[in-house]
Amino acid sequence: MYCGEQFPAEELTLDHVEARVRRGDRSDGNLVSACRACNVRKGHRRLSDFLRESEVARENLFRYAMHVWPRILRKLREEMERY
Ligand SMILES: [Zn+2]
């Protein structure tokens, strides 16, 4: 999702768009696949902080996240405009 590279399924991790620690749920609309490197780079920060730092990840997320719940994408856009 973030770097846009392709990996075999076993090298991918599931990433919660809205982190579990920030009360994100486990529904499909809150999950994207991420390679391990991206997942580590994102860490436990807010996704908006990670996206602000990486233009590639930002473009890929908004390009490919058609299945992510609209309310989560809306919130993400709002967070990114705030800072
Ligand atoms: Zn990646």
Side-chain angles (χ1 to χ4, degrees):
M1 178 61 83
Y2 303 123
C3 61
E5 307 282 324
Q6 296 198 354
F7 298 88
E10 63 270 19
E11 286 177 29
L12 291 171
T13 63
L14 273 181
D15 188 41
H16 294 84
V17 179
E18 211 169 37
R20 295 282 299 152
V21 292
R22 299 186 200 285
R23 298 167 44 187
D25 62 30
R26 291 178 203 274
S27 64
D28 292 352
N30 189 37
L31 292 173
V32 296
S33 58
C35 74
R36 290 179 206 286
C38 286
N39 212 331
V40 167
R41 280 197 301 142
K42 180 190 166 199
H44 289 292
R45 288 177 296 170
R46 279 173 193 279
L47 181 55
S48 53
D49 291 336
F50 172 57
L51 295 184
R52 213 172 286 124
E53 162 195 299
S54 169
E55 195 184 329
V56 172
R58 191 163 65 232
E59 284 175 1
N60 284 334
L61 181 99
F62 288 113
R63 185 180 306 148
Y64 298 125
M66 278 90 87
H67 71 287
V68 173
W69 303 128
R71 64 166 177 85
I72 293 180
L73 292 177
R74 208 180 313 127
K75 201 171 144 195
L76 194 57
R77 284 206 174 85
E78 281 169 15
E79 272 183 34
M80 295 187 54
E81 284 162 9
R82 200 171 303 149
Y83 302 96

